[in-house]
Amino acid sequence: MTRWIVMTLFLTALSSRPLGAAAEPSAPALAHAIDRLGTTGRVLYVAAHPDDENTRLLAYLANIRHLQVAYLSMTRGGGGQNLIGTEQGALLDVIRTEELLAARRIDGARQYFTRMRDFGYSKRADETLAQWGHEEALADVVWVIRTFQPDVVITRFTELPPNHGHHTASAILAREAFAAAADPARFPEQLRGGVAVWQARRLVNNVPMFGGTGTPPAGALALDVGAYDPRLGLGMGELAARSRSQHKSQGFGVPEQRGPIVEYFMPVAGAAPAKDLLDGVDVTWGRFGATAAGYAKAIADAQRTLDRDHPERAVPALVRAHAELDRLRDEPRVRDARTALAEAIAGAAGVFARANAAQPTVAPGGTVDVELEVVTRGTPATIQRVDLPGAAAPPATPLAASEKKLLKLPVTIAAAAPPTQPAWLVAPPLPGRYEVASREVLAEPRVPALQAMVDLAIGGRTVRLVRPVVHAWTDRVHGERERPFAIAPAATVTPLRDAVLAPGKQAPLDLRVRAGRDAVTGTVELALPAGWTATPASHAVTLAKAGDEVVVRFDVRAAPKAAAGEARPVVRIAGTAVSLREDVIDHAHIPVQLVLRPASVRLVPLELRLPAGRVAYIRGSGDTIAADLAHVGVAIEELDDDALRTADLSRYTAVIVGIRAYNTRAAAARAHPRLLAYAERGGTLIVQYHTVDLIGPVGPTGFELGRDRITDETAAPTFLERGEPLLARPNALTAADFDGWVQERGIYFAKKWDASARPLLRFTDPGEAPLDGALVVQRLGKGRFIYTGLALFRQLPAGVPGAYRLLANLIGGGA
């Protein structure tokens, strides 16, 4: 074999590889793929959220040991905060799903999920399991174990509190599933279609050594995972950092580590390891007996003949291996090897295949031109069959050793085709979990709207390549980009706000209507809750071309004593009612996502008095508070970096610092002394929650943040100073103003404050000591500094009236 050269650019290519084609078959990627085909060992890593996975260990197992390794995340992480945008909830789940997939493309592992939702921070495992549904969560973990069939299961966390309840629950469920997956009496409905009981050999805990400090427990197995891979020119600590840094919505960029990295493991169940995680496990194809000998020899021959500059020399051996798989019993390892071998054969032969749609979306009943691009670069091949739903099968097409074929395939989308949605967003979710039609989607994080099955004859053997249909286009900054092709309705109707509040008068409700096909003519209506009216009753819309859009406005009004409720926007086209909204998620590190969901907007009557004057807002990360305040009539201006340096702050009644602004905007952190001076001259400075990883201060001298939080969104408030103007003017606050809050009361409460500062509210989580750091006010000269860890960034967009009333009081300084 030609001596390998260092190819550090491989990681850049792999992290941004096309959706519609396999990973670029670079020499290092192909060598690793073939080495993995020679092993049967499998490891499943289990934790709770995106970013909980130990990417150093995953990278080591996948790229040094060449095992099949997977990460099972109990949730998709949508209950956290967003450092790169305003998406929350389900949309943040979409982002973090894609970030996990981007991370796995780098470290070489696979990705699984359960149906469980990240409903926010939980302090107890029993609370988490109750919210998720203990048996439902366990069934999902059992399903993943039975279908992936790991030899070793590894938990990130232990069952010992204190810890995030999701973390400890993931460890509990892994332990229970380790046994239940092998018990035919547990979840017997899963045992069909080739799914069988499975007993992993051992369950171990990856001892948390966060920050590299601490002493491992006695008897812990030590494993150096920092090995250097000369093919990539990277150590696993470097590779892992690139993987972990894909969690950009959480601000989890990390430095690359080089040299030894020791991980520790403690046995939990099964046979304890003596010297290695895979002790006692046959990781070769010998576990299949003598019938696998031919396959193992063919893979060994492929490893021997693979040449950096002539990878096609490995094709004959790979083709023999593909044929030898037909001799083995049908089970997950064999099925997965057959799929991976097809890609390895194509990669070694230099074959490129992609199905590219001429447009990103099409409506049911419409047509779209799909171009199947197949390129050979060193080995002849024949396109024997193309199976693309809605398209006529093209004739067999031979390609010479270096040739490109573009097959034009017009596709007709069925009139009854459902819109493309993440499988876990099709049905309305429960508080603790998403509902899916089948657990099979737990192994398919992204189900394509269309995919082409391409049967290629290479080296005398037919292999099948599966290519999801994508839409590729050229971005003038980023170059060629791809996004998943989607089936969209004839039109979507998207509320520009999730909640509309009517403060004693009519309020505007704006809807963006967007055409999914040409020549859309229809009417837009609102299905209203009891006690609400809308003017006008409907809007006529005409949109000439697919992609055209228009914004229509309804003025909604609540009758006296009308309750809050959900309005459902509907667009009626030729007798068909469509009520779907669309959200486009476009961040450079993940593919563009079109998210279709049922359209709904919350209508909320609001009794609100606003203070006089203008308000300045310093945007932080991922909040909509400036727009929320403007919606109810607050005169508000956002301060950019130049304004933070030079603006006349005395023009403003109050300056509000957005969530994590000091964490994420250097200009905001540098402006802190200027903002304190503004308060001392008579202004009101309101700082919302920040995390403790601050470079500088968040408040006056003596003020310090902590990590305390109140996770029970129903926790009763105690007013510590009943006569406090901030709680009484211009809106007289009561306990009722804390009804209907979502997810949590607040996070990152104040920990210490000056003797002249006063906490105004007290909250208590069940079974814990009360916390007073949710809202702290301190006089500064002629003005005041206010810190609040209350989760206003969640409450205002959700339309919680009491949050608006409280923030109005803070802005007015109790005047």
Side-chain angles (χ1 to χ4, degrees):
M1 183 188 299
T2 302
R3 183 177 178 182
W4 292 97
I5 62 172
V6 171
M7 296 190 69
T8 55
L9 289 179
F10 161 72
L11 270 302
T12 301
L14 187 57
S15 65
S16 58
R17 70 180 182 181
L19 293 170
E24 292 90 336
S26 65
L30 191 56
H32 279 301
I34 294 174
D35 283 350
R36 290 188 193 111
L37 285 166
T39 66
T40 60
R42 293 193 168 198
V43 176
L44 178 66
Y45 199 89
V46 181
H49 309 107
D51 83 21
D52 286 344
E53 75 272 27
N54 185 337
T55 54
R56 299 175 303 191
L57 179 61
L58 298 184
Y60 167 80
L61 293 174
N63 298 284
I64 301 300
R65 302 289 292 272
H66 296 111
L67 304 172
Q68 290 291 330
V69 56
Y71 173 47
L72 171 59
S73 179
M74 294 299 301
T75 75
R76 297 173 188 267
Q81 291 80 53
N82 185 358
L83 202 66
I84 61 174
T86 60
E87 299 92 349
Q88 294 184 20
L91 295 182
L92 187 53
D93 272 334
V94 172
I95 290 174
R96 293 192 173 167
T97 295
E98 292 298 323
E99 288 179 337
L100 276 173
L101 297 179
R104 299 295 81 80
R105 288 193 289 270
I106 292 174
D107 59 38
R110 295 164 64 170
Q111 184 62 52
Y112 288 92
F113 297 92
T114 75
R115 296 169 294 152
M116 305 306 115
R117 294 180 67 188
D118 179 356
F119 56 84
Y121 194 92
S122 173
K123 295 182 178 179
R124 305 187 321 276
D126 61 334
E127 176 194 48
T128 295
L129 293 172
Q131 186 84 323
W132 285 349
H134 194 146
E135 284 293 286
E136 295 285 346
L138 178 58
D140 284 3
V141 182
V142 167
W143 169 265
V144 172
I145 290 177
R146 285 174 172 173
T147 53
F148 182 60
Q149 297 188 347
D151 299 298
V152 177
V153 179
I154 304 175
T155 60
R156 165 80 283 186
F157 304 104
T158 72
E159 300 181 28
L160 300 176
N163 201 334
H164 193 322
H166 299 179
H167 293 171
T168 48
S170 72
I172 292 169
L173 291 166
R175 173 179 52 79
E176 294 175 343
F178 179 80
D183 185 352
R186 298 290 278 142
F187 312 109
E189 71 281 359
Q190 298 180 2
L191 303 176
R192 54 181 175 77
V195 178
V197 294
W198 181 259
Q199 179 62 72
R201 184 166 181 83
R202 64 177 54 90
L203 171 67
V204 298
N205 171 242
N206 182 192
V207 178
M209 301 287 287
F210 300 119
T213 60
T215 302
L221 173 70
L223 180 65
D224 182 0
V225 301
Y228 175 73
D229 183 352
R231 292 169 173 172
L232 304 182
L234 295 169
M236 293 302 99
E238 296 168 289
L239 183 63
R242 300 182 187 188
S243 170
R244 187 166 180 78
S245 294
Q246 297 305 303
H247 296 300
K248 299 182 189 302
S249 66
Q250 303 187 66
F252 269 29
V254 296
E256 298 181 2
Q257 291 181 279
R258 298 164 189 86
I261 301 170
V262 179
E263 297 287 343
Y264 296 93
F265 304 88
M266 288 296 291
V268 176
K275 296 182 179 180
D276 185 73
L277 285 174
L278 278 296
D279 276 350
V281 176
D282 185 354
V283 299
T284 73
W285 285 87
R287 71 167 72 195
F288 285 85
T291 55
Y295 171 84
K297 183 180 186 305
I299 291 296
D301 289 344
Q303 292 170 318
R304 177 177 53 80
T305 56
L306 180 66
D307 187 294
R308 180 200 66 192
D309 296 322
H310 295 283
E312 72 278 2
R313 292 174 182 172
V315 169
L318 292 172
V319 166
R320 290 203 327 271
H322 195 271
E324 286 291 335
L325 283 178
D326 293 343
R327 296 164 51 85
L328 304 183
R329 64 181 181 270
D330 184 53
E331 63 107 91
R333 284 169 171 77
V334 174
R335 291 193 292 268
D336 290 346
R338 184 174 289 110
T339 299
L341 252 177
E343 295 295 347
I345 291 169
V351 171
F352 174 89
R354 179 173 70 177
N356 181 30
Q359 59 206 59
T361 64
V362 70
T367 60
V368 60
D369 290 331
V370 175
E371 181 179 80
L372 179 64
E373 178 184 5
V374 180
V375 185
T376 53
R377 295 171 287 196
T379 301
T382 298
I383 305 172
Q384 291 188 321
R385 175 183 171 85
V386 178
D387 185 1
L388 178 61
T397 306
L399 290 88
S402 181
E403 189 174 2
K404 176 178 178 177
K405 293 289 186 181
L406 298 175
L407 304 183
K408 306 292 186 179
L409 304 173
V411 175
T412 300
I413 305 299
T420 303
Q421 298 171 272
W424 41 279
L425 286 180
V426 172
L430 299 174
R433 64 182 180 272
Y434 289 108
E435 292 289 82
V436 298
S438 170
R439 281 195 176 89
E440 276 80 356
V441 302
L442 302 179
E444 299 290 342
R446 185 194 297 122
V447 179
L450 282 176
Q451 62 182 10
M453 307 286 191
V454 184
D455 289 347
L456 287 178
I458 302 174
R461 181 78 177 172
T462 299
V463 298
R464 169 161 290 186
L465 306 182
V466 180
R467 294 293 182 261
V469 176
V470 299
H471 172 67
W473 78 104
T474 301
D475 183 294
R476 293 185 67 180
V477 174
H478 299 289
E480 184 176 277
R481 297 184 67 188
E482 289 183 354
R483 60 184 289 178
F485 169 78
I487 300 171
T492 56
V493 54
T494 304
L496 298 190
R497 291 188 53 78
D498 291 336
V500 168
L501 294 99
K505 58 182 180 180
Q506 67 182 24
L509 190 161
D510 294 331
L511 303 171
R512 184 183 71 244
V513 184
R514 188 173 188 276
R517 61 169 172 79
D518 294 345
V520 169
T521 299
T523 58
V524 181
E525 304 169 0
L526 278 175
L528 295 164
W532 288 81
T533 57
T535 306
S538 64
H539 282 280
V541 294
T542 299
L543 300 169
K545 294 292 185 181
D548 288 354
E549 60 182 48
V550 64
V551 174
V552 300
R553 171 169 289 185
F554 292 89
D555 291 318
V556 295
R557 183 184 294 271
K561 298 184 179 180
E566 300 292 325
R568 185 171 66 92
V570 178
V571 56
R572 299 187 184 276
I573 304 169
T576 300
V578 180
S579 184
L580 286 175
R581 67 174 293 159
E582 66 171 85
D583 295 278
V584 177
I585 298 173
D586 188 358
H587 299 290
H589 66 298
I590 59 176
V592 174
Q593 301 292 308
L594 172 66
V595 184
L596 300 171
R597 294 177 293 161
S600 177
V601 58
R602 183 164 176 76
L603 303 183
V604 183
L606 177 64
E607 293 184 9
L608 177 67
R609 293 182 178 180
L610 294 176
R614 302 189 67 79
V615 176
Y617 195 81
I618 303 171
R619 181 179 295 275
S621 65
D623 77 68
T624 62
I625 285 181
D628 296 327
L629 290 175
H631 171 66
V632 296
V634 175
I636 193 163
E637 299 175 7
E638 291 200 38
L639 302 183
D640 61 17
D641 289 357
D642 286 339
L644 282 169
R645 289 188 289 267
T646 62
D648 178 9
L649 299 181
S650 65
R651 299 171 49 236
Y652 303 109
T653 299
V655 175
I656 305 176
V657 181
I659 61 173
R660 298 176 73 174
Y662 291 163
N663 296 104
T664 59
R665 289 180 62 184
R670 287 194 298 266
H672 179 67
R674 190 165 184 261
L675 295 173
L676 290 180
Y678 154 79
E680 289 172 350
R681 291 192 297 268
T684 296
L685 176 62
I686 303 168
V687 178
Q688 297 178 80
Y689 101 86
H690 281 65
T691 57
V692 296
D693 56 338
L694 281 169
I695 298 175
V698 71
T701 300
F703 185 87
E704 185 178 333
L705 291 181
R707 297 182 180 273
D708 287 336
R709 62 181 69 204
I710 293 293
T711 62
D712 182 0
E713 68 271 25
T714 68
T718 298
F719 292 71
L720 298 178
E721 297 193 21
R722 277 291 178 183
E724 168 57 48
L726 287 171
L727 302 178
R729 295 197 297 266
N731 303 286
L733 301 183
T734 69
D737 286 295
F738 294 87
D739 291 344
W741 284 46
V742 298
Q743 185 162 314
E744 61 210 350
R745 283 294 188 211
I747 54 182
Y748 292 98
F749 285 6
K751 179 180 180 181
K752 295 180 181 178
W753 47 84
D754 187 82
S756 63
R758 295 172 295 117
L760 302 184
L761 293 172
R762 173 176 293 162
F763 297 96
T764 307
D765 262 339
E768 296 194 350
L771 299 177
D772 293 351
L775 179 60
V776 177
V777 60
Q778 181 176 343
R779 293 293 304 187
L780 286 182
K782 298 178 181 179
R784 63 187 55 78
F785 163 81
I786 300 171
Y787 176 81
T788 180
L790 293 171
L792 301 177
F793 74 101
R794 295 195 193 279
Q795 314 312 320
L796 267 63
V800 177
Y804 282 88
R805 288 160 52 84
L806 170 61
L807 187 51
N809 284 15
L810 300 183
I811 290 170

